Amino acid sequence: MLSDSLKKTVRHAHQNIANQLEDYRPRSSQNYLVAEIAKTLAGEYHKSQRICVIEAGTGTGKSLAYCLGALPLALAKKKKLVISTATVALQEQLIEKELPFFKEHSGIDFKFDLVKGRQRYICVQKLMAAVNEDETQISLVPTTTSPLTDMEQKCLRELAHAYQNKQWAGDRDSWEDTIPDKVWNLIACDKHACQRQMKSHHLCPFHLARQKIQQMDVLVINHALLLADLELGGGTILPEPEETFYVVDEAHHLPHITRDFSSAAATIKGTIEWLEKLLKFSGRMASAIVSQKAIGQNFKLNDAANDVSKLLKSVRDSLDQSDFKYNDDDTYRFIHGEVPESLTTQAKDIADATLDALRALNKMHDALTTDVSDGDVQAFLADPFLVESGQYINRLEQLNKLWFSYAAKGESTPHARWIKRMEYKHHHDHLLCDCPIEVGFYLKDKLWRECAGAVLCSATLTALGSFDHFSKESGLASEPGVKFIKADSPFDYDKQAILHIPKTKVEPTDKTFSDFLADALPTYLDKNKANLVLFASYWQMSHVVTALRKKKLSILVQGEMSREALLNRHKAAIDLGAGSILFGTQSLSEGLDLPGKYLENLVVTKIPFAVPTSPVEEAQAEFIQSKGGNPFLSITVPDAAKKLVQSCGRLLRKETDSGRITILDRRLITKRYGKAMLETLPPFARQID
C-alpha cells in the first residue's frame, strides 16, 4: 500500500514540476497515470505481480508520469529504477533533458546514468597494443583480413592520444567523429579479454562505468542490454531483477527485439574454415599457459573441433545432394520448423561436439586469465590470446545454440528454421538459421515473474482497440494482476485536425495504383506548407518520385540523404517561409517529431500492410493456420492497424498543432477490417467523400 508520506512526496514533486513549466496545464490523464503506476508498484492490485501496461499517446507526458509514479517508491523501497528504451533518441532525451529537469525541480534527490553495452567502450590494453604493434594485433584477430589504411591508423593514434590526455572518456558514442568499424573491432572491450580481476584492466572505461552502477538510483538502458542481462540469468550486468522496478518505454518493440536476440545462424563452409584457424590458434595459446589445470584441454579441444568439422562436411554433402526446393531468394524453409530425421541426428552430434569444444576452450581461457592474475604470465603477452579466444568462444556459443535447436524434437515453442543458399564466384555455402516464433514465455520466465515491478508504456500498444495482441506477444496474457491502462490524450482532435478519405479511381491492390498516386498526389499537397507523404514500400515511393520530378515538383526523399540532413533541409525551407514536401516509408512514421508549422499536411498513401515474405513471418502464419486461426486477421491486420495509428500520430505533436490527414485507401470504408481500423484512429473531424 502507498503510505501517506509517499503520496505527499509525489504530490509535492508534481507541484514543484508544474511551477517550473511554462504554460503548464493540469492533465487528468497524466494524474491518472501517476496514481496507477504508484498503486501498481506498491502492490495494491496484486501482491507479487506488480505490472501495468500503458498506452499513452503523444502529449500525455508519460515520461514525467513514470518518473513521478515510480521513482519516489523505488527510493523508499531501496529498489533500482531501470528505464529501458528501444531508440537512442529517447535515451538521449531522458539523459540530457527529462531526468536533469526532474532532478533539478522535483525536490527529489537521486543519481542517474546511462548504461551501455560493453562493446561501446574501448579496452585500454587493446588500444595501446593496436597503436604500438598494430600489424601483430591485426594478424591475431580472425575477423580482420587486411592491414589498416593510413586513415584508419591515423584515427587509432588520435583515439589513443585523446584517451591518454583525458580528452576522451573511451566510449564510442562520445567521440565526435565516426570511428570505422575495422578500427573499433580492434579496440572494443569484450567480456573474455577485458576482465576486471586482471590488474591491467582495472581502469578500463567499461569497468569504471560499471562501478558507478551501484551508486545510481536510476539507470537508462536499451532493450538489447536488458535482454543481454536476462540471458546471463539477470543481475550480471544490471541490478538483480527482484531488486528492480523496470520501466519499459517504447514497449511495442520488446517482443520483436527479444525474437531477434533469441535467434541463431551459422554457415557451413565458413564455419569449417574458422574451425581450421581455431586448431592452429589453440596450439599457440596452449604454449602460453603455465597452469597445470589446462593440460589436456588443448587435445580435447582439437578432438572436438575435428569432430565438428567432419560432421559439418557430411551436412554440406547432404545439402548439396538434397532436393530442397529453394525460392527465388535462394531460401528453403522447413515446414512447421520440422527438420528431416537425418539432419536432426547430425545436429545432435554437432551440438554435443561443439559443447565439448566450448568447455575445453573456456578452461584454457580461464587458466590463462589465472596465470596473468597470479603474475606467471605477463598481461601484454596474454591479452592477444584472450582477445582471440574470446571471439572463438562467442562463435562456438552461437554454433551450439543453432545446432542444439536443430536437434530439438517435440518442442513446446514453435520455431522458424530455414536454409539460405549463398552463391559466390568460385564456391557456394549454406546459411542455416533458427528463430523462435513466440517469445512471450521467455519474457514471462526471465523478467515478469522475477522483477520487483514493471511499467510497460508506448503510444501504440493496442491493436483494433484491444491489448490482446501485445499481451500475447509479450508473455503477459492471462498473467494475474497485470493492469492494462489506456490514457486519454489531451488533444482536442476534432478541432485540431481533419481526416479526409477521398474517393479514388483505383484500388490499392491494383497494378496501376502507383501510376494513380503519381497523378493524384499533387491534388492533396499544399506547396506553401509542410507536407509529409508516407508510402507502404520503397519501390512505390521511388516510382512516384520519378514521375513527379518530371513535373518539376521539388521533393525531399528518404534514403537520398541521412535522416538528420533530410529533416534539417525540410525545417530550413519552412523557416524561410517556403513549403516543403517530404516523402518517406514506414520507418518515418515512428519517432518523427515535426511539431507546429513543420508538419501541417500528412498524406498516407495506403494501409501499411506487411507482406509475409520473411521465413519468420511465413512460419508465424503457418503456425496460426495449424491452430485453426486466420493469419491475416490475427497478425497482418493488427500490425497494420498499429502502424496506421503511428502514421497518423505524426501530425499532432503539441496541443497547439493543427492540420490535415489524407488517406488514399478506400478499404478503410469498404472492408469490415478497414472500418475496425478507422475506429481505432483518434477522433479527428472526418471528411469521407
Side-chain angles (χ1 to χ4, degrees):
M1 296 288 286
L2 274 170
S3 66
D4 289 338
S5 63
L6 262 176
K7 289 177 185 176
K8 191 176 178 182
T9 300
V10 173
R11 278 197 298 270
H12 279 179
H14 203 166
Q15 190 56 52
N16 290 340
I17 292 284
N19 293 339
Q20 294 298 324
L21 287 170
E22 287 184 30
D23 303 323
Y24 176 81
R25 273 188 275 170
R27 295 173 181 169
S28 58
S29 56
Q30 189 179 62
N31 295 339
Y32 172 59
L33 288 183
V34 173
E36 290 300 298
I37 289 168
K39 285 184 197 174
T40 299
L41 297 180
E44 290 195 14
Y45 295 119
H46 196 279
K47 284 188 177 179
S48 57
Q49 196 87 307
R50 304 180 181 196
I51 299 173
C52 61
V53 180
I54 298 167
E55 180 175 271
T58 308
T60 316
K62 60 181 180 293
S63 55
L64 177 58
Y66 60 63
C67 284
L68 283 165
L71 185 53
L73 195 69
L75 293 171
K77 301 283 185 187
K78 293 186 166 47
K79 305 290 185 193
K80 300 285 188 185
L81 181 62
V82 170
I83 305 173
S84 183
T85 78
T87 61
V88 173
L90 182 53
Q91 280 189 335
E92 288 174 349
Q93 184 181 320
L94 284 164
I95 287 292
E96 294 169 14
K97 295 179 182 175
E98 310 266 0
L99 289 172
F101 181 87
F102 190 82
K103 181 175 180 176
E104 184 180 352
H105 300 298
S106 66
I108 299 173
D109 187 33
F110 63 96
K111 294 179 181 175
F112 65 92
D113 201 4
L114 176 66
V115 182
K116 291 180 283 193
R118 188 188 292 262
Q119 72 282 357
R120 304 305 296 175
Y121 296 90
I122 59 159
C123 169
V124 179
Q125 193 82 6
K126 285 163 74 172
L127 174 62
M128 295 312 155
V131 170
N132 297 327
E133 307 173 31
D134 38 71
E135 291 302 324
T136 310
Q137 179 84 348
I138 288 166
S139 69
L140 287 166
V141 180
T143 52
T144 305
T145 54
S146 58
L148 296 183
T149 63
D150 290 344
M151 184 272 289
E152 288 166 339
Q153 287 192 11
K154 180 171 179 280
C155 174
L156 200 58
R157 290 192 295 273
E158 286 173 353
L159 292 170
H161 181 267
Y163 182 76
Q164 286 175 309
N165 288 282
K166 297 185 178 177
Q167 296 164 339
W168 176 50
D171 65 300
R172 192 171 190 175
D173 305 295
S174 66
W175 187 254
E176 287 187 10
D177 205 355
T178 301
I179 302 174
D181 287 343
K182 198 166 170 186
V183 173
W184 188 256
N185 291 339
L186 273 179
I187 61 175
C189 177
D190 76 87
K191 65 180 178 182
H192 299 291
C194 191
Q195 297 183 26
R196 190 168 176 270
Q197 65 264 36
M198 296 167 65
K199 290 178 184 175
S200 55
H201 295 275
H202 277 187
L203 298 177
C204 272
F206 168 75
H207 295 301
L208 293 175
R210 283 297 180 268
Q211 285 173 32
K212 286 169 65 181
I213 284 181
Q214 300 306 317
Q215 303 154 24
M216 296 297 132
D217 303 300
V218 181
L219 302 170
V220 178
I221 64 169
N222 63 20
H223 295 347
L225 188 61
L226 172 62
L227 291 164
D229 187 55
L230 297 180
E231 182 83 355
L232 295 168
T236 303
I237 306 170
L238 303 169
E240 297 284 347
E242 59 267 27
E243 297 300 322
T244 304
F245 287 147
Y246 295 91
V247 171
V248 182
D249 206 337
E250 301 177 313
H252 60 284
H253 286 292
L254 188 62
H256 295 285
I257 293 175
T258 306
R259 195 175 69 190
D260 293 343
F261 198 85
S262 304
S263 303
T267 57
I268 302 290
K269 186 176 186 296
T271 300
I272 293 168
E273 288 175 354
W274 67 253
L275 283 169
E276 288 173 3
K277 292 180 181 177
L278 171 59
L279 290 171
K280 293 173 184 174
F281 163 76
S282 67
R284 298 200 309 273
M285 184 176 182
S287 64
I289 299 172
V290 175
S291 172
Q292 295 296 304
K293 292 178 184 176
I295 290 177
Q297 293 305 322
N298 185 38
F299 298 111
K300 288 181 181 178
L301 175 59
N302 285 357
D303 288 344
N306 279 319
D307 287 345
V308 176
S309 287
K310 286 176 190 171
L311 289 161
L312 286 174
K313 285 171 184 173
S314 175
V315 171
R316 179 191 62 192
D317 295 341
S318 299
L319 293 179
D320 284 341
Q321 294 162 19
S322 73
D323 57 357
F324 294 150
K325 298 206 167 32
Y326 291 86
N327 64 17
D328 293 341
D329 194 34
D330 278 329
T331 299
Y332 174 78
R333 184 178 61 82
F334 295 105
I335 304 302
H336 300 299
E338 293 172 3
V339 176
E341 185 73 34
S342 57
L343 187 54
T344 303
T345 305
Q346 290 172 310
K348 187 181 184 313
D349 292 338
I350 294 171
D352 290 343
T354 306
L355 189 58
D356 290 340
L358 188 57
R359 284 171 177 159
L361 185 55
N362 267 318
K363 286 178 181 175
M364 291 173 68
H365 185 95
D366 292 345
L368 186 55
T369 303
T370 303
D371 284 345
V372 175
S373 297
D374 293 345
D376 295 329
V377 176
Q378 290 179 297
F380 77 91
L381 293 173
D383 271 342
F385 289 115
L386 293 173
V387 170
E388 192 168 356
S389 63
Q391 291 181 327
Y392 284 125
I393 287 169
N394 287 335
R395 289 179 172 188
L396 285 168
E397 286 172 346
Q398 180 82 346
L399 197 62
N400 178 256
K401 186 177 179 181
L402 173 78
W403 289 104
F404 180 81
S405 176
Y406 266 62
K409 275 188 175 181
E411 61 207 353
S412 56
T413 311
H415 278 241
R417 297 189 179 95
W418 68 97
I419 299 174
K420 185 171 175 64
R421 194 167 48 190
M422 305 171 78
E423 297 290 343
Y424 300 98
K425 193 172 182 181
H426 299 297
H427 71 279
H428 70 278
D429 204 346
H430 296 88
L431 175 69
L432 276 71
C433 305
D434 174 88
C435 178
I437 292 171
E438 295 187 337
V439 293
F441 74 96
Y442 181 90
L443 291 168
K444 182 186 295 187
D445 292 344
K446 299 269 188 181
L447 185 55
W448 312 136
R449 291 185 175 175
E450 297 296 324
C451 67
V455 177
L456 292 82
C457 56
S458 168
T460 47
L461 287 180
T462 59
L464 303 176
S466 166
F467 283 101
D468 292 352
H469 187 60
F470 175 76
S471 62
K472 188 174 186 301
E473 276 192 318
S474 59
L476 289 169
S478 70
E479 281 294 285
V482 179
K483 183 91 172 163
F484 292 93
I485 301 162
K486 192 164 182 177
D488 294 330
S489 171
F491 295 157
D492 195 348
Y493 285 106
D494 65 341
K495 288 188 174 65
Q496 289 180 250
I498 294 172
L499 172 62
H500 181 205
I501 304 177
K503 285 184 178 176
T504 54
K505 297 175 184 175
V506 182
E507 286 286 307
T509 50
D510 196 291
K511 289 180 181 177
T512 62
F513 187 68
S514 298
D515 293 327
F516 160 75
L517 285 177
D519 289 336
L521 262 177
T523 308
Y524 304 106
L525 297 174
D526 188 333
K527 293 179 184 177
N528 299 313
K529 290 184 177 180
N531 301 264
L532 171 64
V533 183
L534 292 172
F535 291 83
S537 75
Y538 267 107
W539 177 86
Q540 197 159 70
M541 178 173 75
S542 179
H543 179 89
V544 174
V545 166
T546 302
L548 292 182
R549 280 178 172 166
K550 286 178 182 175
K551 297 177 182 178
K552 307 300 181 189
L553 213 61
S554 178
I555 306 168
L556 293 170
V557 182
Q558 181 185 5
E560 292 186 352
M561 61 185 81
S562 73
R563 181 173 169 133
E564 187 180 1
L566 195 72
L567 298 181
N568 286 341
R569 286 271 292 273
H570 173 78
K571 289 176 180 177
I574 301 302
D575 287 339
L576 289 170
S580 176
I581 301 169
L582 183 59
F583 276 21
T585 59
Q586 189 57 41
S587 59
L588 265 196
S589 73
E590 186 178 355
L592 181 66
D593 195 26
L594 292 171
K597 64 180 181 178
Y598 296 120
L599 180 56
E600 293 181 285
N601 188 43
L602 171 66
V603 180
V604 179
T605 55
K606 63 192 285 192
I607 297 170
F609 285 120
V611 181
T613 51
S614 80
V616 177
E617 290 166 332
E618 289 173 353
Q620 273 184 311
E622 180 182 75
F623 177 68
I624 286 169
Q625 279 179 317
S626 73
K627 299 289 183 184
N630 182 325
F632 180 72
L633 295 177
S634 299
I635 302 175
T636 311
V637 170
D639 278 347
K642 281 199 292 186
K643 287 174 183 173
L644 189 61
V645 171
Q646 286 173 344
S647 297
C648 293
R650 294 314 97 205
L651 184 69
L652 303 182
R653 309 303 295 170
K654 294 179 179 178
E655 291 172 64
T656 52
D657 289 356
S658 62
R660 184 180 190 86
I661 301 171
T662 305
I663 304 179
L664 300 173
D665 193 330
R666 294 290 291 185
R667 288 176 295 182
L668 288 172
I669 307 300
T670 59
K671 302 290 185 184
R672 184 182 294 178
Y673 66 76
K675 291 175 183 175
M677 286 182 176
L678 190 58
E679 290 310 307
T680 63
L681 293 178
F684 304 111
R686 292 183 184 177
Q687 179 189 339
I688 298 174
D689 298 346

